[in-house]
């Protein structure tokens, strides 16, 4: 088939500036010049020392015009071949320079792309505006993409990354990644295959955004490409992403995704069984399989152009399998001699993709051997010169510099956005004419449902999805009616796979959507936590805010369910979430707070690109009473839009109940009504107790807690999470760090999974435990009035 010409941002053909072929073929030099010696401490590499000798053996077979195919049976032209050869050369010499920089103590990253340089042809088969999620051996692709775009110096970019320079254009010295906004290359971490769910999500979201009329920031017929290795292809994340792609396509939904597996046959030292990748991936429903010899540039070009054309035309996923080799080991410290036979290494040296491309060019009469070698050495000189220029570039010099892009906050903008009123008619239609503020007092579940409906009314780009959230309306009814009101394109069921649910959200955030995925239970989020830790939370950090993946992940959480549960439906472990840098964790207890905090999270995601986990206490979803049957003490009215500004709950702000002067109880979620009941019992004994609802578990409301702690001088932390790694550890540490010198105790759930039935109450914090601990603290702890005078604690 005819190869599509790579297009630039405005649909123009990238300029080609290859060297013209010699008028008459020149005989190769009889004794090739030896390459310059590497830097002191860097070993001479066989792929470098043998290049000139290998090329010297080639002879011109026939002279072909630049615009003609470089050999019979391919659509790769001579001009394009020369362009891509330069990209291959740059990638190779960047790997060699990384070793030299490391030997001098000036470089910090030596995982290279040597042997994989054929991926440059994949870049050329795509447009420079097609979003690319590249793994760490896609150096040739990155250099070729930069050449397509025309104004980016890929050599300098990569070397700045190797040297951890603060002015490296994507990560700013925080990690060595391939990425740049201008090149549509989205930076990825080194976690194998963890970017593939995001790639599926982005491909899905580009099409969904177009369907909703939401600008995605990508071309309407874009193709998403994601590269990974053969060892990564075995990872559950890769298999889950592929399955989700097939699941989407099976329903005849568009998914323009190209998965590129660069198969070098090794996962560090573990060999991939010959033929395994083909056997595992070549016959998957809905995933078209293409393959090529990744060391043969023309073969890669032909397969890649065919695969890209298929994906672009049919809006369907494809898998491109490239058979490549790996040179220089896994990384600089990897001694291959410990696990590879010398004969295997020697055999792979014969497949060097740079030598193979040189042979194409020489045999086509486009360059002679001497010119190939001169080109090789000129690229070495250019890379070394640039390396010398950047090796002493300033690195990040302070904590503030390092964390600046981690989780930027604009509280004023978030507050304004959270208070923005939706169009009244759209809102009324979303609620089917039954506005929540007109329905009397609501439960927490009803308040969340109403706030979601208001979010869908106010944010045309908001989408809600997860297991059972569509027609059923959620296991607990929190999304009931939303699909009917907002439409199935905005509220829909997902595949039953938490990695893929979060991956869809990651991609949606990159395509202009405001995703609100639901994870059905807190225990289930641990199946997919790396999608939050390694992907969502790092995107702004490793791109300096050039790319964002805003989302609000709703998670049914905690214990205390009656008549249903066991561990997987009553999980109380949040430690794995709380130590994710930049992640916002909301944990409302009351209906009015739940609605206001959900509006805050949506606004923070939209304004700041925040990644928010919204932990909803299952046991309080339908709770109506606080102290006794029928008292309706745990219901609350829903604020109308005109009152949203006054009801706004900023991130990291607590709520205080009461103004007691004897004891401060700090708690959250199910602990709030429990502590309020305990406070009433203690009041009957004459004790004055105030209860502080943290509301936010990250960032913790430290100033509010310290103020309320200082008002009494005694603090009891009631923590329904586990004693080890629980929230109370963070609260007490914050008090100590702030210099609080009053009396502090805690009650926490046991370090146990939550069992079924009444046995659950044996390991969870109880009201009686709270009263007992408070009584002991009141008996033994010094009062605030005795030590601190009479401070006044603010409350609401």
């Amino acid at each position: 088939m005819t190869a599509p010409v790579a297009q630039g941002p405005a649909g123009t053909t990238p300029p080609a500036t290859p060297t013209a072929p010699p008028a008459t073929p020149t005989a190769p030099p009889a004794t090739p010049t030896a390459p310059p010696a590497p830097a002191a401490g860097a070993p001479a590499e066989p792929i470098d020392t043998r290049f000139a000798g290998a090329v010297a053996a080639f002879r011109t077979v026939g002279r072909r015009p630049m615009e003609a195919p470089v050999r019979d049976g391919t659509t790769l032209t001579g001009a394009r071949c020369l362009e891509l050869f330069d990209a291959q050369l740059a990638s190779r010499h960047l790997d060699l320079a990384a070793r030299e920089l490391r030997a001098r103590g000036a470089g910090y990253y030596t995982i290279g792309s040597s042997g994989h340089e054929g991926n440059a042809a994949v870049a050329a088969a795509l447009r420079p505006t097609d979003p690319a999620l590249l793994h760490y051996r896609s150096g040739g692709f990155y250099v070729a993409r930069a050449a397509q775009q025309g104004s980016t110096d890929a050599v300098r970019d990569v070397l700045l990354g190797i040297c951890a320079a603060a002015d490296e254009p994507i990560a700013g010295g925080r990690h060595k990644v391939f990425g740049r906004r201008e090149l549509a290359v989205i930076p990825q971490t080194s976690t194998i295959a963890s970017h593939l769910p995001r790639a599926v999500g982005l491909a899905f979201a580009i099409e969904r955004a177009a369907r909703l009329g939401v600008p995605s920031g990508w071309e309407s017929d874009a193709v998403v490409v994601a590269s990974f290795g053969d060892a990564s292809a075995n990872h559950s994340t890769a298999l889950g992403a592929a399955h989700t792609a097939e699941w989407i396509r099976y329903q005849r939904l568009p998914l323009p995704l190209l998965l590129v597996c660069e198969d070098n046959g090794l996962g560090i030292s573990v060999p991939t069984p010959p033929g395994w990748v083909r056997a595992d991936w070549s016959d998957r429903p809905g995933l078209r399989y293409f393959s090529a010899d990744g060391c043969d540039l023309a073969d890669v070009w032909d397969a890649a152009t065919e695969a890209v054309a298929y994906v672009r035309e049919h809006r369907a996923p494809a898998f491109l399998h490239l058979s490549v080799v790996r040179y220089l080991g896994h990384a600089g410290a990897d001694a291959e001699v410990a696990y590879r036979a010398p004969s295997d290494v020697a055999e792979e040296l014969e497949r060097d993709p740079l030598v193979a491309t040189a042979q194409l060019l020489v045999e086509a009469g486009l360059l002679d051997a001497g010119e190939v070698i001169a080109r090789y050495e000129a690229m070495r000189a250019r890379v070394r010169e640039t390396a010398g220029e950047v090796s002493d570039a300033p690195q990040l010099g302070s904590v503030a510099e390092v964390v600046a892009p981690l989780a930027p906050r604009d509280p004023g903008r978030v507050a304004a956005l959270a208070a923005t009123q939706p169009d009244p008619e759209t809102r009324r239609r979303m609620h089917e004419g039954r506005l929540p503020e007109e329905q009397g007092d609501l439960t927490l579940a009803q308040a969340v449902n109403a706030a979601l409906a208001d979010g869908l009314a106010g944010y045309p780009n908001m989408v809600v999805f997860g297991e059972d959230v569509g027609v059923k309306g959620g296991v607990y009814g929190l999304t009931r009616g939303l699909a009917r009101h907002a439409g199935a394109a905005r509220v829909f069921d997902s595949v039953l796979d938490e990695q893929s649910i979060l991956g869809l959200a990651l991609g949606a955030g990159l395509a202009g959507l405001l995703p609100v995925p639901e994870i059905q239970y807190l225990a289930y989020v641990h199946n997919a936590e790396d999608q939050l830790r390694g992907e969502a939370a790092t995107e702004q950090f490793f791109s300096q805010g050039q790319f964002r993946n805003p989302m609000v992940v709703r998670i049914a959480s905690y214990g205390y369910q009656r008549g249903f549960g066991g561990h997987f439906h009553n999980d109380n472990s949040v430690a794995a979430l709380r130590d994710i840098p930049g992640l916002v964790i909301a944990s409302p207890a009351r209906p009015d707070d739940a609605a206001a905090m959900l509006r805050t999270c949506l606004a923070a995601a939209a304004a700041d690109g925040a990644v928010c986990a919204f932990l909803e206490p299952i046991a309080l979803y339908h709770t109506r009473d606080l102290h006794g049957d029928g008292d309706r003490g745990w219901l609350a009215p829903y604020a109308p839009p005109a009152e949203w500004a006054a009801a706004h709950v900023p991130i990291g702000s607590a709520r205080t109940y009461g103004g007691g002067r004897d004891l401060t109880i700090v708690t959250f979620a199910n602990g709030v009504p429990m502590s309020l009941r305990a406070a009433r019992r203690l009041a009957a004994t004459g004790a004055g107790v105030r209860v502080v609802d943290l509301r936010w578990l990250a960032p913790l409301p430290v100033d509010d807690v310290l103020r309320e702690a200082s008002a009494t001088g005694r603090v009891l932390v009631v923590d329904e999470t586990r004693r080890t790694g629980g929230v109370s550890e963070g609260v007490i540490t914050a008090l100590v760090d702030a210099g609080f010198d009053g009396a502090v105790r805690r009650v926490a759930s046991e370090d146990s999974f939550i069992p079924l039935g009444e046995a659950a109450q044996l390991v969870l914090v109880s009201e009686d435990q709270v009263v007992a601990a408070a009584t002991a603290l009141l008996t033994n702890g010094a009062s605030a009035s005795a030590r601190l005078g009479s401070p006044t604690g603010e409350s609401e």
Side-chain angles (χ1 to χ4, degrees):
M1 64 186 300
T2 302
V5 178
Q7 300 294 306
T12 56
T13 303
T17 55
T19 304
T24 56
T26 305
T31 54
T33 303
E45 301 293 349
I47 56 169
D48 187 28
T49 57
R50 72 183 293 274
F51 180 81
V55 171
F58 299 144
R59 299 290 186 274
T60 298
V61 175
R63 298 185 62 233
R64 293 174 179 263
M66 279 286 184
E67 64 275 9
V70 73
R71 74 178 180 211
D72 292 342
T74 183
T75 60
L76 180 66
T77 66
R80 180 73 72 189
C81 188
L82 274 167
E83 290 176 352
L84 297 179
F85 186 50
D86 284 343
Q88 291 181 300
L89 293 176
S91 180
R92 177 66 59 86
H93 282 297
L94 284 167
D95 289 351
L96 297 173
R99 302 292 174 112
E100 295 179 358
L101 287 165
R102 185 72 193 97
R104 302 202 324 252
Y108 304 92
Y109 195 90
T110 55
I111 297 179
S113 304
S114 293
H116 288 239
E117 292 94 347
N119 57 36
V122 180
L126 293 154
R127 298 173 187 164
T129 52
D130 286 328
L133 297 83
L134 306 179
H135 91 318
Y136 45 65
R137 298 200 191 280
S138 294
F141 184 112
Y142 186 78
V143 177
R145 171 63 65 91
Q148 283 179 302
Q149 184 253 2
S151 62
T152 295
D153 184 349
V155 167
R156 181 171 291 272
D157 280 4
V158 173
L159 289 169
L160 286 168
I162 290 169
C163 295
D167 59 351
E168 187 270 335
I170 189 68
R174 291 168 184 83
H175 192 41
K176 160 61 180 68
V177 293
F178 294 122
R180 199 181 240 271
R181 183 78 196 184
E182 301 92 326
L183 302 183
V185 176
I186 302 161
Q188 305 306 309
T189 66
S190 295
T191 307
I192 62 170
S194 66
H195 60 303
L196 299 189
R198 181 203 296 273
V200 173
L202 180 54
F204 175 84
I206 287 172
E207 296 290 330
R208 185 54 53 96
R211 178 176 170 182
L212 297 174
V214 174
S216 72
W218 308 101
E219 294 181 354
S220 60
D221 63 344
V223 169
V224 178
V225 62
S227 60
F228 56 103
D230 52 294
S232 301
N234 297 307
H235 200 277
S236 63
T237 314
L239 297 171
H243 179 81
T244 299
E246 296 159 17
W247 186 83
I248 291 170
R249 187 56 185 163
Y250 188 78
Q251 299 175 80
R252 293 183 170 83
L253 296 173
L255 193 77
L257 172 67
L258 178 61
L259 299 174
V260 180
C261 180
E262 301 178 18
D263 179 2
N264 63 33
L266 287 166
I268 304 184
S269 68
V270 179
T272 297
W276 169 246
V277 173
R278 177 184 291 273
D280 194 29
W281 290 82
S282 63
D283 193 26
R284 290 176 172 266
L287 188 64
R288 180 70 66 89
Y289 178 84
F290 299 86
S291 65
D293 178 354
C295 297
D296 181 339
L297 191 68
D299 199 33
V300 177
W301 166 262
D302 290 331
T305 53
E306 185 180 1
V308 170
Y310 169 81
V311 175
R312 201 179 303 280
E313 177 183 352
H314 296 281
R315 316 307 288 161
F319 183 90
L320 175 58
H321 180 197
L322 303 180
S323 174
V324 297
V325 291
R326 189 192 75 185
Y327 298 143
L328 305 180
H330 175 71
D334 179 28
E336 286 190 305
V337 294
Y339 57 85
R340 298 191 72 190
S343 58
D344 292 340
V345 175
E347 182 179 337
E348 289 202 342
L349 281 173
E350 297 302 319
R351 293 187 62 205
D352 189 336
L354 267 63
V355 173
T357 304
Q359 184 174 5
L360 277 177
L361 293 167
V362 172
E363 290 183 351
L366 301 174
L367 294 177
D368 63 33
E371 289 168 324
V372 167
I373 296 168
R375 209 176 187 99
Y376 182 88
E377 293 303 332
M379 185 61 72
R380 183 201 305 275
R382 176 193 167 195
V383 171
R384 279 188 168 177
E385 180 181 9
T386 307
E389 294 170 358
V390 307
S391 61
D392 294 326
Q395 299 179 19
L396 296 169
S398 68
V399 172
E401 284 184 275
V402 171
V403 303
L406 180 61
R409 303 269 191 261
D410 188 339
R413 188 178 174 202
V414 169
L417 195 55
T420 301
Q421 302 180 30
D423 172 71
E425 287 305 313
T426 301
R427 182 171 185 258
R428 184 169 290 276
R429 187 169 59 253
M430 197 66 69
H431 289 286
E432 291 187 325
R434 301 180 75 251
L435 297 178
E437 60 267 29
E438 299 171 356
Q439 306 309 307
D441 291 342
L442 304 182
T443 63
L444 190 147
Q446 291 169 329
V448 171
N449 177 266
L452 287 170
D454 278 337
L456 288 163
Y459 297 94
N461 61 336
M462 177 173 155
V463 289
V464 177
F465 54 90
E467 302 166 16
D468 301 303
V469 306
V471 176
K472 179 178 175 64
V475 171
Y476 297 96
L478 273 76
T479 57
R480 183 173 295 138
L482 298 182
R484 184 172 66 253
H485 306 156
R490 297 185 66 194
V491 181
F492 51 90
D493 293 322
S494 72
V495 67
L496 195 110
D497 175 45
E498 286 75 23
Q499 287 187 134
S500 294
I501 291 170
L502 294 178
L504 287 174
L506 288 164
L510 288 172
L513 299 176
L514 180 57
V516 184
E518 177 184 306
I519 301 298
Q520 206 163 73
Y521 291 100
L522 180 59
Y524 298 173
V525 79
H526 303 305
N527 299 339
E529 193 214 347
D530 186 57
Q531 292 299 298
L532 291 175
R533 176 186 301 276
E535 294 295 322
T538 64
E539 191 61 54
Q540 293 201 94
F541 185 70
F542 289 136
S543 72
Q544 301 183 92
Q546 294 177 48
F547 294 97
R548 312 188 317 173
N549 39 221
M551 70 173 74
V552 180
V553 187
R554 293 182 44 251
I555 308 172
S557 303
Y558 306 124
Y560 298 100
Q561 284 194 84
R562 292 287 184 178
F564 179 69
H567 163 63
F568 292 102
H569 303 99
N570 283 277
D571 188 35
N572 62 349
S573 174
V574 300
L577 295 175
R578 285 198 64 248
D579 80 340
I580 298 177
L583 180 68
V584 173
I585 305 178
S587 185
R590 284 186 53 82
D592 46 350
D593 280 343
M597 292 167 69
L598 184 53
R599 287 193 294 269
T600 298
C601 286
L602 291 171
D608 297 337
V611 180
C612 304
F614 196 80
L615 307 186
E616 301 166 0
I618 301 171
L620 298 181
Y621 271 155
H622 306 297
T623 297
R624 306 176 68 84
D625 305 321
L626 175 58
H627 295 292
D629 291 346
D631 71 7
R632 298 172 62 84
W634 213 247
L635 301 176
Y638 190 87
E643 298 177 9
W644 286 357
H648 176 59
V649 178
I651 291 174
S653 64
R655 176 174 182 170
T656 301
Y657 297 84
R661 302 281 301 283
D662 298 313
L663 174 66
T664 299
I665 297 179
V666 178
T667 189
F668 60 97
N670 292 289
V672 178
M674 184 188 304
S675 297
L676 289 172
R677 288 191 292 269
R680 172 177 280 198
R681 289 169 60 180
L682 292 164
T685 68
V689 179
R690 63 184 64 200
V691 175
V692 179
D693 178 4
L694 292 170
R695 299 197 292 198
W696 305 91
L697 306 187
L700 284 169
V702 175
D703 290 344
D704 292 345
V705 170
L706 183 62
R707 181 191 67 235
E708 301 300 333
S710 299
T712 66
R714 300 185 185 93
V715 177
L716 175 64
V717 183
V718 177
D719 180 5
E720 66 182 284
T721 62
R722 297 173 190 163
R723 181 173 299 276
T724 300
V727 174
S728 56
E729 290 183 347
V731 174
I732 294 173
T733 300
L735 287 171
V736 172
D737 286 347
F740 178 72
D741 60 356
V744 180
R745 289 190 65 167
R746 67 168 173 160
V747 287
S749 294
E750 298 298 324
D751 288 340
S752 169
F753 299 111
I754 299 175
L756 193 63
E758 292 303 314
Q761 307 309 314
L762 300 174
V763 298
L764 293 172
V765 170
S766 70
E767 184 180 321
D768 287 344
Q769 286 178 311
V770 175
V771 172
T775 300
L777 194 56
L778 287 165
T779 301
N780 300 321
S783 68
S785 57
R787 296 184 308 100
L788 304 171
S790 301
T792 300
E794 298 178 20
S795 63
E796 67 176 81

